[in-house]
Amino acid sequence: MNANERKVLVMKSATVYRQKLRELRDEKAWTLVELANEVKRHYAPGVTDVMLSMIERGERQPSSKLFNGICAALGVDRDVLLVRGDRDAAA
């Protein structure tokens, strides 16, 4: 895989991740404020709806700890949000 192919894969992965995050939040009918409150219970008190909005829009990447908190709040395994190359692209 060359550098351009890797760049496209990373961009596609980020887009799919953001879409999956939004879909999971919508399935629970949660606002960003409600998701932030749930993430606070599993992560840390500093999480805000603005921070989560930036993640959904692709303006910010979550730390590993925050990512785990988001997964815990949504009740999903990390693999649900992680994109693993061609396997998920084909799915």
Side-chain angles (χ1 to χ4, degrees), residues 7 14-15 21 26 28-29 38 45-48 55 57-58 61 80 86:
K7 185 176 180 180
T15 299
L21 176 57
D26 286 346
K28 293 189 174 284
E38 287 298 314
V47 177
T48 67
I55 292 168
R57 291 191 317 261
Q61 295 296 318
V80 171
D86 294 335

Side-chain angles (χ1 to χ4, degrees), residues 7-70:
K7 185 176 180 180
V8 168
L9 180 59
V10 167
M11 290 172 60
K12 185 175 183 176
S13 297
T15 299
V16 171
Y17 162 77
R18 292 190 315 263
Q19 289 171 343
K20 286 181 181 179
L21 176 57
R22 178 66 189 261
E23 287 172 13
L24 290 166
R25 185 170 63 82
D26 286 346
E27 283 177 14
K28 293 189 174 284
W30 284 352
T31 64
L32 284 165
V33 171
E34 291 168 320
L35 177 58
N37 289 335
E38 287 298 314
V39 173
K40 286 176 189 178
R41 292 179 350 133
H42 298 280
Y43 170 63
V47 177
T48 67
D49 56 318
V50 173
M51 184 185 299
L52 295 174
S53 178
M54 291 174 73
I55 292 168
E56 278 191 1
R57 291 191 317 261
E59 297 172 4
R60 181 178 179 155
Q61 295 296 318
S63 66
S64 179
K65 188 174 180 181
L66 176 54
F67 181 79
N68 289 335
I70 292 169

